[in-house]
Amino acid sequence: MLSSMAATGSLKAALQVAEVLEAIVSCCMGPEGRQVLCTKPTGEVLLSRNGGRLLEALHLQHPIARMIVDCVSSHLKKTGDGAKTFIIFLCHLLRGLHAVTDREKDPLMCENIQTHGRHWKNCCQWKFISQALVTFQTQILDGIMDQYLSRHFLSIFSSAKERTLCRSSLELLLEAYFCGRVGRNNHKFISQLMCDYFFKCMTCKTGIDVFELVDDYFVELNVGVTGLPVSDSRIIAGLVLQKDFSVYCPADGDIRMVIVTETIQPLFSTSGSEFILNSEAQFQTSQFWIMEKTKAIMKHLRSQNVKLLLSSVKQPDLVIYYAGVNGISVVECLSSEEVSLIRRIIGLSPFVPPQAFSQCEISNTALVKFCKPLILRSKRYVHLGLIGTCTFIPHCVVLCGPVQGLIEQHEDALHGAFKMLRQLFKDLDLNYMTQTSDQNGTSSLFIYKNSGESYQAPDTGKGSIQRPYQDTVVENKDELEKTQTYLKVHSNLVISDVELETYIPYSTPTDTFETDETLKCLSLERNRLTDDYEPLLKNNSTAYSTRGNNRIDISYENLQVTNITGKGSMLPVSCKLQNMGASQSYLSSSMPAGCVLPVGGNFEILLHYYLLNYAKKCHQSEETMVSMIIANALLGIPRVLYKSKTGKYSFPHIYIRAVHALQTNQPLVSSQTGLESVTGKYQLLTSVLQCLTKILTIDLVITLKRHPQKVHNQDSEDEL
Amino acid sequence: MSRLEAKKPSLCKSEPLTSERVRTTLSVLKRIVTSCYGPSGRLKQLHNGFGGYVCTTSQSSALLSHLLVTHPILKILTTSVQNHVSSFSDCGLFTAILCCNLIENVQRLGLTPTTVIRLNKHLLSLCISYLKSETCGCRIPVDFSSTQILLCLVRSILTSKPACMLTRKETEHVSALILRAFLLTIPENAEGHIILGKSLIVPLKDQRVIDSTVLPGILIEMSEVQLMRLLPIKKSTALKVALFCTTLSGDISDTGEGTVVVSYGVSLENAVLDQLLNLGRQLVSDHVDLVLCQKVIHPSLKQFLNMHRVIAVDRIGVTLMEPLTKMTGTQPIGSLGSISPNSYGSVKDVCTAKFGSKHFFHLIPNEATICSLLLCNRNDTAWDELKLTCQTALHVLQLTLKEPWALLGGGCTETHLAAYIRHKTHNDPKSILKDDECTQTELQLIAEAFCSALESVVGSLEHDGGEILTDMKYGHLWSVQADSPCVANWPDLLSHCGCGLYNSQEELSWSFLRSTRHPFVPQTCLPLEAVGSASNLTLDCLTAKLSGLQVAVETANLILDLSYVIEDKN
């Protein structure tokens, strides 16, 4: 059976889906986020602020929703962080795209727009947009990261060469991470716990392999205990196995251990063989032989000072008995993960009982510091003091909590933190394309001039802009709602009028236009004569600002729109020039491991700022548009983070301060302490863009109403 | 492949606490737990229409494990109480009531969850540090050299479980038994690390409670016929014991993954039996007096052993294996072949015993920390309740051994604590708020909610319409009977406070617990002589109460922090 969905609404549908998801995840986002309770089909309850978990728990049926969730989970698998930001960012991107394309259909728009409407129809079909997104992601983003953003990066390492990590900076990083992951009353405690764990496990030569080890075996490295307050969680030296001893013989001093993966007692027959019993005596002798052999092996182990036997299978009673007689403690039924973890820590291969018995030394033994039972809330565990041969010093986390759901949340968060650190400790390769101009003198001059201009623009404009703007800030600080009246009062002043507009989007959150655009709008006005290709951008921003503003504004802006459209027609010419003149070259560089930025939307605001600058320089309309949309969507994240803040810490204030600092080349001051990984943010951005590309490239969803077929592997069939 | 089914979408609800359904279910749960609380608490009869027996109880562990809770928020609450009870045994109802009260009180305020959670946490740490401090006015040291305080502790637990149906005399008797059983599990010559033994509770239903008793060693229940067959042993020295964990029934053990082909005429059963008899011969020649087997012993081997005056007892079961190993000092034998002489253990003596209609084989240890508590009660439900109570009491004693302090019970700790917090938040709010973003008004509001939550926990101790008062000096709890005349002559109406430490003849002033009072400083630093003179105190376990308090506040915080509930409908 086949039914189809109209493709035209796919963006709208995606936006609707994303908005629903946004509503859910934004409530658990950031330091003020709250918890979500999920029930499992088994009836268990799980507390979570982990975006990935929530999305999975929803069991969404909508095809686009499912695709989004898939994208999120594949992103999480890699980075362990950013599911909520993913959704919010994606939602804002879709909203931006929707707003851009909506304008095209708006019948109320005046005649002049129609030329542009045709333009959008021609170039902004989904395919082109998605292509532009791909181009942006593969060729432009890295360049902006490398050329502009990198100057703001801090390093988590106290000395970059040796990659030494000081506790205070790790604390800052982790506290910020756990802020968004665990309950408010526990995040400090959990981040301290993680910090302790990190420094207890790591030696000074710790490399990335240890993160991989902890990440891969995190389940085996922690123990959950219900019924105790969270504050009873702690770090235990050594490894805790979630089993009890089959036999426990207290031992001290030189304890050696072996790992076995099969039963030590020889059996009558192995698989595929046949054992023929001809007489009762034969049976008795073979039983006797088996017994003696087992006894001898255990005695031999004993003579080699082996006092601990770890087995991945259940051993027969006979083995257990002789182990006890010989003072060897036994732990049975270890999972394969536990065995491979122990093998990785101590580099030990399993012991195979020798076929022909000899008195030779057993090579596969390892020294253990201690081995004793550990009792946590009346349940018994095996506690091993392994002596690691790699750079990992084995430690375990005991996580306590009143309910299992909370313990799982903390476990998840700790695991995610290791994933995040694993990514942070990697260098990130950046490849991008730059446009260098060599032969074409005029066009290179042109580009140079333009870029110079647009760079200068904020600076030249600054003197006149900043002063009145700051005044209005002071005036309006307490009364955001009154902006409308202020607007009327000041509307005759050109400069303050533009400044006041910056307030409006925040009092009306549905609005989608940006402060920076209007700021630049002003600077653009000054450069109008020199910048031929910029009206498009300008048109963009003014068109944005006309929506939802009061009448005075509209008439004023409409005046501008008519002005601009005349010049807009020149755009294709300059674009062509650009394409002919510039020759492209690929650059590659890398971002060193450990790059961090202060939390609180710093990354987003920085990237937003530089993207807008870039968009101004850029000559292709798609590129400009994509950069603008992305730049604006980025601001959605800090806006959610500062949602509950008021006064000096509200988002508009933070944003304006940041932009001001950037324009005057002052260091950014963050209101929050805490750091976040740049790599994580970068990966998130690329994942979201990939997801968006995926959504845009789909033109038809075909619903199949039958059970999924087993996918046969074509290759293997061919081989047959 | 046919099991692959599309999952149903989940149900997602926002702001779950505001929904009417959640509020009503929460208040139903609260009414259930509050009505059970305390010595005069009402009993709940839990019965399942589909079968099973009827359970009459007022204990949180029995109550919550039987209740079928479907709403996820209630599930969080009940599981966290259950988890608390399974690790500390005591203070389950206290935890549940406090948690419900906190949620209810805080919701009324309408403050943001962030503020509430932050302040609740501050108040909790204030309580914890006070209860752990030297100046704490509501805890007393437990002296293990005398039984007085320990008996008070056990008695308080027994009296708070009315479903046990004990008279005063029976309570005294059972308290003494529990304390004896506990003391028997403490090794005599303990050096450094103490490993406690175990008290096994042996059921004896349909008997008088007064017939309950404690015996050192292990009782193995047997039918009378079996017991008659066992020959009496007369031996002056200790008896040698062999304990088998492997089967002695003559089964052929695991033969491996391959096939075993048996030629015609070869009888493996005979071969194995030969082996078993060889084993018997070895046991006899090793002078073993008693053979115990977890599983089944082959009748021929049993016969053989009996012939050689060796007692053989089989089908012991896995639960008794550990105490038996501990008591006899044996190594459980897993081999049918050569047995190492070190594997044998010993017991002092064995005898048969009859209690009620049951016959037991009694193993008397040389010196060991295993004892059996024979517990009698009139009927099944009362026995179940009594057994749970005994386990609670034994656990509480163990916890007290680790942390030798007890809290004043009968609600006095709660009222005292509430008075202390009121005073602290009123006089010194800056030290609590520190660098936080919360205001003093918010702190006052939350502190009031917190204190009244604590006070209404003890308010629910009163089920008969009486009034609850508190004095303005110690901050203890006093209760007045319902029908007493409303006069100001309190000293005559009241005799002792809830815990029994103070009497009303002191110059005290009282006020109703529900009324508003000026914050006052409750007297800290309990005088030791006051404790020494009082003989009949009501006491609570410090460890359990501390954890209960923490779990209640943590759980309430968790529930208040919920913004969405996603229900998986699969």
Side-chain angles (χ1 to χ4, degrees):
Chain A
M1 281 201 281
L2 188 149
S3 72
S4 66
M5 256 171 50
T8 46
S10 83
L11 178 78
K12 210 167 180 185
L15 179 62
Q16 278 169 349
V17 166
E19 275 177 341
V20 171
L21 295 181
E22 188 199 25
I24 296 172
V25 295
S26 64
C27 75
C28 18
M29 171 107 170
E32 301 288 313
R34 297 171 63 187
Q35 302 262 22
V36 173
L37 184 70
C38 307
T39 62
K40 294 182 192 168
T42 49
E44 292 163 84
V45 284
L46 175 73
L47 283 152
S48 190
R49 288 184 63 193
N50 177 344
R53 283 253 181 163
L54 296 184
L55 293 179
E56 271 169 36
L58 284 170
H59 291 305
L60 295 166
Q61 277 189 327
H62 193 283
I64 291 177
R66 277 170 66 178
M67 195 170 80
I68 294 175
V69 172
D70 280 349
C71 287
V72 173
S73 45
S74 68
H75 168 75
L76 276 183
K77 219 174 273 168
K78 202 167 66 183
T79 61
D81 191 15
K84 289 168 283 184
T85 319
F86 187 108
I87 296 295
I88 288 168
F89 185 41
L90 180 69
C91 188
H92 277 86
L93 279 176
L94 288 168
R95 226 173 256 155
L97 277 176
H98 188 247
V100 166
T101 49
D102 227 23
R103 206 175 313 130
E104 160 201 4
K105 292 170 199 149
D106 199 344
L108 291 174
M109 278 293 181
C110 51
E111 208 185 5
N112 307 324
I113 306 285
Q114 279 189 351
T115 53
H116 277 276
R118 221 169 293 134
H119 174 76
W120 281 114
K121 248 177 210 152
N122 294 336
C123 9
C124 290
Q125 287 305 318
W126 302 129
K127 201 178 157 194
F128 292 113
I129 295 175
S130 70
Q131 268 172 359
L133 281 171
V134 173
T135 323
F136 174 84
Q137 188 217 318
T138 53
Q139 297 174 357
I140 300 165
L141 177 63
D142 288 9
I144 290 171
M145 291 280 291
D146 192 39
Q147 290 181 336
Y148 303 116
L149 244 66
S150 58
R151 70 181 78 139
H152 298 280
F153 293 165
L154 311 168
S155 179
I156 189 99
F157 303 116
S158 41
S159 85
K161 277 224 175 99
E162 285 151 31
R163 290 198 179 174
T164 46
L165 194 55
C166 68
R167 194 181 164 103
S168 60
S169 45
L170 184 70
E171 265 172 21
L172 286 176
L173 181 74
L174 290 175
E175 217 161 277
Y177 179 85
F178 287 111
C179 242
R181 284 310 202 77
V182 298
R184 262 165 286 203
N185 40 352
N186 293 324
H187 82 259
K188 279 221 171 80
F189 177 78
I190 295 288
S191 82
Q192 282 300 320
L193 193 75
M194 166 88 181
C195 234
D196 289 344
Y197 187 68
F198 183 88
F199 283 105
K200 277 182 177 165
C201 289
M202 309 292 161
T203 54
C204 53
K205 289 194 173 167
T206 288
I208 189 110
D209 52 327
V210 178
F211 292 112
E212 276 164 21
L213 181 96
V214 177
D215 183 12
D216 293 344
Y217 294 100
F218 194 74
V219 183
E220 281 71 39
L221 288 171
N222 74 76
V223 186
V225 182
T226 54
L228 298 179
V230 175
S231 54
D232 282 4
S233 307
R234 59 188 182 273
I235 312 283
I236 291 184
L239 187 67
V240 177
L241 300 174
Q242 309 207 18
K243 304 266 166 358
D244 193 10
F245 284 103
S246 304
V247 181
Y248 175 63
C249 307
D252 47 293
D254 187 21
I255 305 174
R256 302 196 79 85
M257 69 164 204
V258 288
I259 301 177
V260 290
T261 51
E262 53 197 275
T263 55
I264 282 180
Q265 176 183 345
L267 297 166
F268 276 103
S269 56
T270 52
S271 71
S273 71
E274 206 169 66
F275 181 80
I276 300 168
L277 275 173
N278 286 320
S279 68
E280 284 151 31
Q282 188 199 358
F283 175 73
Q284 278 170 347
T285 34
S286 39
Q287 281 235 315
F288 183 72
W289 180 81
I290 286 172
M291 212 143 62
E292 286 304 309
K293 172 94 181 178
T294 312
K295 200 168 154 187
I297 292 172
M298 297 313 285
K299 221 172 215 161
H300 182 52
L301 285 175
R302 163 80 194 176
S303 72
Q304 298 292 319
N305 232 340
V306 171
K307 284 170 187 161
L308 174 63
L309 182 79
L310 300 180
S311 165
S312 59
V313 293
K314 176 122 184 65
Q315 296 287 345
D317 287 342
L318 196 64
V319 175
I320 303 293
Y321 173 62
Y322 282 117
V325 167
N326 287 299
I328 300 173
S329 306
V330 183
V331 184
E332 297 171 288
C333 306
L334 293 180
S335 67
S336 58
E337 286 84 16
E338 283 169 328
V339 171
S340 66
L341 172 65
I342 294 169
R343 288 180 58 184
R344 260 179 85 170
I345 294 175
I346 57 175
L348 179 70
S349 53
F351 162 75
V352 182
Q355 280 303 315
F357 189 69
S358 61
Q359 289 299 321
C360 68
E361 215 167 282
I362 305 164
S363 56
N364 303 331
T365 64
L367 210 58
V368 182
K369 251 184 275 173
F370 58 83
C371 113
K372 56 189 180 194
L374 174 76
I375 298 174
L376 294 171
R377 218 208 89 188
S378 65
K379 209 173 153 195
R380 278 200 288 210
Y381 299 87
V382 174
H383 190 189
L384 297 181
L386 297 178
I387 301 168
T389 52
C390 62
T391 49
F392 174 71
I393 309 165
H395 279 82
C396 271
V397 193
V398 177
L399 288 172
C400 304
V403 278
Q404 182 63 29
L406 192 65
I407 293 172
E408 270 175 50
Q409 180 182 30
H410 292 165
E411 190 188 318
D412 251 16
L414 285 171
H415 196 177
F418 269 103
K419 276 210 168 88
M420 187 264 292
L421 286 178
R422 183 179 175 173
Q423 294 293 323
L424 182 67
F425 273 64
K426 270 186 200 157
D427 291 334
L428 183 70
D429 289 330
L430 299 171
N431 296 303
Y432 57 96
M433 196 183 74
T434 53
Q435 295 176 336
T436 55
S437 38
D438 31 7
Q439 311 98 342
N440 200 324
T442 51
S443 73
S444 75
L445 200 76
F446 177 74
I447 298 162
Y448 175 74
K449 199 176 75 185
N450 276 339
S451 58
E453 285 292 342
S454 52
Y455 244 72
Q456 297 293 301
D459 284 23
T460 51
K462 188 190 63 199
S464 54
I465 294 168
Q466 292 301 328
R467 235 175 290 113
Y469 139 65
Q470 274 167 350
D471 289 348
T472 39
V473 170
V474 175
E475 280 169 13
N476 293 348
K477 192 165 273 175
D478 302 315
E479 297 166 292
L480 278 172
E481 298 88 342
K482 291 193 178 173
T483 42
Q484 296 286 346
T485 55
Y486 274 110
L487 197 67
K488 276 172 194 155
V489 173
H490 290 282
S491 57
N492 45 356
L493 293 164
V494 181
I495 291 171
S496 58
D497 184 21
V498 176
E499 296 311 325
L500 275 161
E501 283 170 30
T502 60
Y503 263 113
I504 293 156
Y506 310 112
S507 46
T508 56
T510 47
D511 221 325
T512 47
F513 90 112
E514 284 317 325
T515 50
D516 206 35
E517 286 167 41
T518 41
L519 270 173
K520 259 159 226 153
C521 190
L522 192 81
S523 53
L524 291 179
E525 252 174 306
R526 290 153 187 269
N527 301 324
R528 191 173 293 161
L529 289 172
T530 48
D531 293 335
D532 282 336
Y533 63 94
E534 282 197 6
L536 176 68
L537 161 69
K538 188 161 159 47
N539 182 26
N540 240 343
S541 53
T542 45
Y544 269 123
S545 53
T546 48
R547 296 172 62 240
N549 288 349
N550 61 26
R551 273 180 198 262
I552 301 166
D553 261 330
I554 291 169
S555 59
Y556 168 67
E557 300 287 357
N558 277 348
L559 210 77
Q560 277 197 332
V561 171
T562 46
N563 263 342
I564 294 154
T565 42
K567 304 201 174 192
S569 56
M570 285 168 73
L571 180 77
V573 186
S574 62
C575 277
K576 261 174 211 154
L577 245 170
Q578 177 73 102
N579 289 344
M580 275 156 38
S583 72
Q584 299 170 344
S585 71
Y586 287 92
L587 279 184
S588 62
S589 74
S590 79
M591 212 167 71
C595 279
V596 286
L597 275 174
V599 287
N602 261 355
F603 177 84
E604 285 84 6
I605 293 174
L606 281 174
L607 191 58
H608 163 85
Y609 178 78
Y610 289 116
L611 272 180
L612 282 186
N613 274 350
Y614 173 82
K616 225 179 296 163
K617 278 191 292 175
C618 156
H619 314 283
Q620 287 164 318
S621 60
E622 285 97 19
E623 245 175 60
T624 316
M625 190 203 68
V626 164
S627 308
M628 299 278 298
I629 287 173
I630 291 171
N632 293 339
L634 277 168
L635 285 190
I637 295 152
R639 211 175 273 164
V640 173
L641 291 176
Y642 291 107
K643 198 169 47 183
S644 65
K645 297 275 164 56
T646 51
K648 223 170 68 170
Y649 297 105
S650 64
F651 173 67
H653 286 266
I654 300 272
Y655 175 75
I656 285 163
R657 271 204 298 276
V659 170
H660 177 62
L662 283 170
Q663 282 168 344
T664 53
N665 278 325
Q666 282 166 356
L668 286 178
V669 188
S670 179
S671 61
Q672 287 165 318
T673 57
L675 300 168
E676 59 191 351
S677 155
V678 174
T679 322
K681 286 279 174 189
Y682 170 82
Q683 280 166 336
L684 175 74
L685 196 61
T686 53
S687 300
V688 175
L689 291 180
Q690 276 162 7
C691 178
L692 183 64
T693 318
K694 239 177 167 179
I695 292 172
L696 292 181
T697 43
I698 288 171
D699 79 324
L700 183 68
V701 176
I702 300 170
T703 313
L704 302 173
K705 287 188 177 166
R706 70 172 174 207
H707 286 297
Q709 302 290 299
K710 197 175 184 181
V711 181
H712 293 288
N713 194 340
Q714 291 295 320
D715 295 342
S716 61
E717 269 183 330
D718 288 346
E719 275 168 33
L720 288 168
Chain B
M1 278 287 66
S2 58
R3 289 184 55 84
L4 201 69
E5 231 173 80
K7 293 213 162 166
K8 275 181 244 149
S10 304
L11 196 65
C12 184
K13 277 182 238 150
S14 68
E15 297 300 330
L17 277 184
T18 53
S19 97
E20 198 52 43
R21 201 184 131 223
V22 175
R23 282 179 190 214
T24 41
T25 41
L26 259 177
S27 73
V28 167
L29 181 78
K30 190 190 151 187
R31 251 182 290 148
I32 292 175
V33 284
T34 44
S35 59
C36 288
Y37 195 49
S40 62
R42 305 293 189 243
L43 307 186
K44 299 286 167 287
Q45 193 183 57
L46 298 157
H47 96 123
N48 188 339
F50 290 101
Y53 64 98
V54 173
C55 166
T56 308
T57 188
S58 70
Q59 288 193 54
S60 59
S61 50
L63 195 67
L64 295 179
S65 63
H66 281 93
L67 278 185
L68 189 71
V69 178
T70 47
H71 197 280
I73 289 184
L74 287 192
K75 215 175 243 172
I76 283 271
L77 209 163
T78 51
T79 42
S80 77
V81 173
Q82 277 174 301
N83 285 334
H84 160 80
V85 172
S86 65
S87 26
F88 295 97
S89 299
D90 204 13
C91 295
L93 286 176
F94 166 78
T95 310
I97 300 171
L98 180 60
C99 189
C100 289
N101 283 344
L102 274 174
I103 295 170
E104 216 167 71
N105 286 358
V106 162
Q107 260 194 301
R108 250 179 252 143
L109 295 177
L111 293 173
T112 61
T114 322
T115 334
V116 172
I117 288 166
R118 197 174 277 152
L119 290 173
N120 268 345
K121 207 187 167 196
H122 286 315
L123 294 175
L124 174 68
S125 57
L126 194 68
C127 292
I128 301 284
S129 58
Y130 178 66
L131 290 177
K132 283 186 171 171
S133 74
E134 289 296 317
T135 56
C136 175
C138 52
R139 62 167 202 184
I140 57 170
V142 176
D143 181 9
F144 275 89
S145 61
S146 84
T147 56
Q148 190 197 348
I149 289 188
L150 293 174
L151 263 180
C152 287
L153 197 58
V154 177
R155 198 187 300 122
S156 310
I157 292 169
L158 281 173
T159 48
S160 70
K161 318 284 191 238
C164 295
M165 310 277 184
L166 299 183
T167 62
R168 183 176 288 260
K169 199 178 150 210
E170 287 166 345
T171 308
E172 289 302 317
H173 180 68
V174 176
S175 311
L177 283 185
I178 291 172
L179 191 57
R180 253 190 82 202
F182 171 69
L183 293 174
L184 276 173
T185 62
I186 301 174
E188 271 172 44
N189 41 1
E191 284 155 19
H193 200 66
I194 303 176
I195 299 168
L196 287 182
K198 207 171 177 184
S199 338
L200 306 163
I201 294 178
V202 182
L204 270 183
K205 292 172 190 176
D206 308 322
Q207 296 285 312
R208 290 183 307 152
V209 181
I210 263 346
D211 293 337
S212 306
T213 179
V214 171
L215 294 171
I218 291 174
L219 292 170
I220 301 168
E221 199 187 331
M222 269 182 198
S223 70
E224 198 180 354
V225 186
Q226 270 179 307
L227 211 56
M228 297 292 278
R229 265 195 227 134
L230 298 177
L231 300 170
I233 309 176
K234 286 284 161 270
K235 206 173 173 187
S236 53
T237 54
L239 305 175
K240 206 170 190 182
V241 180
L243 178 66
F244 283 87
C245 60
T246 187
T247 172
L248 297 178
S249 64
D251 290 341
I252 293 155
S253 56
D254 190 15
T255 53
E257 285 169 350
T259 44
V260 175
V261 180
V262 183
S263 305
Y264 180 73
V266 176
S267 163
L268 290 185
E269 286 73 23
N270 283 343
V272 179
L273 197 56
D274 273 354
Q275 226 175 350
L276 284 178
L277 292 177
N278 277 334
L279 176 74
R281 266 171 226 124
Q282 198 197 339
L283 289 172
V284 170
S285 68
D286 282 344
H287 304 291
V288 171
D289 301 298
L290 181 60
V291 173
L292 301 167
C293 182
Q294 182 189 337
K295 292 164 188 168
V296 180
I297 301 179
H298 195 283
S300 309
L301 179 61
K302 237 183 189 173
Q303 173 89 27
F304 176 85
L305 290 172
N306 277 344
M307 266 164 49
H308 291 85
R309 310 192 66 80
V310 177
I311 302 174
V313 180
D314 63 350
R315 300 174 207 253
I316 301 258
V318 74
T319 44
L320 276 183
M321 285 304 281
E322 210 203 318
L324 271 174
T325 314
K326 218 173 198 174
M327 190 183 88
T328 55
T330 56
Q331 169 96 55
I333 300 164
S335 155
L336 303 182
S338 55
I339 296 166
S340 154
N342 301 334
S343 320
Y344 299 125
S346 69
V347 290
K348 192 178 174 191
D349 200 3
V350 291
C351 63
T352 57
K354 182 171 183 274
F355 294 100
S357 56
K358 284 184 178 177
H359 295 266
F360 293 98
F361 183 61
H362 185 190
L363 300 170
I364 302 161
N366 286 319
E367 45 147 345
T369 54
I370 308 288
C371 66
S372 300
L373 173 59
L374 283 135
L375 208 55
C376 313
N377 209 341
R378 292 169 199 90
N379 55 41
D380 273 8
T381 53
W383 187 85
D384 286 341
E385 185 80 0
L386 185 60
K387 182 195 165 201
L388 263 178
T389 311
C390 286
Q391 284 172 336
T392 305
L394 286 168
H395 195 180
V396 162
L397 287 170
Q398 283 176 13
L399 292 174
T400 311
L401 190 64
K402 269 189 212 154
E403 208 170 351
W405 293 92
L407 286 175
L408 298 177
C412 289
T413 293
E414 286 87 346
T415 46
H416 179 90
L417 203 57
Y420 173 78
I421 288 172
R422 276 217 183 85
H423 158 71
K424 205 65 183 169
T425 49
H426 204 82
N427 290 4
D428 196 11
K430 290 236 165 59
S431 70
I432 301 165
L433 289 171
K434 284 169 202 146
D435 52 333
D436 259 333
E437 294 157 30
C438 307
T439 62
Q440 290 197 12
T441 332
E442 284 168 335
L443 176 68
Q444 299 296 346
L445 281 171
I446 295 290
E448 188 50 45
F450 192 92
C451 293
S452 69
L454 267 178
E455 284 171 347
S456 43
V457 173
V458 296
S460 47
L461 279 170
E462 184 58 63
H463 301 277
D464 302 313
E467 272 299 341
I468 288 190
L469 297 103
T470 177
D471 66 86
M472 309 295 275
K473 184 180 177 194
Y474 306 108
H476 276 215
L477 174 142
W478 308 74
S479 62
V480 200
Q481 286 185 352
D483 48 355
S484 48
C486 191
V487 287
N489 191 14
W490 291 123
D492 294 336
L493 281 173
L494 310 162
S495 62
H496 278 93
C497 68
C499 63
L501 192 62
Y502 300 113
N503 69 36
S504 58
Q505 298 312 313
E506 259 182 275
E507 292 287 310
L508 293 172
S509 60
W510 286 274
S511 86
F512 286 107
L513 196 62
R514 287 174 225 282
S515 66
T516 48
R517 291 174 298 281
H518 284 295
F520 64 97
V521 202
Q523 187 183 322
T524 53
C525 297
L526 206 60
L528 274 179
E529 54 272 19
V531 179
S533 61
S535 61
N536 204 355
L537 291 177
T538 306
L539 296 175
D540 281 339
C541 173
L542 173 76
T543 322
K545 196 133 226 174
L546 270 181
S547 161
L549 189 67
Q550 268 170 298
V551 166
V553 178
E554 269 185 23
T555 312
N557 277 349
L558 260 186
I559 291 172
L560 288 168
D561 204 13
L562 294 178
S563 64
Y564 275 94
V565 171
I566 299 176
E567 267 181 274
D568 196 322
K569 291 282 174 193
N570 290 297

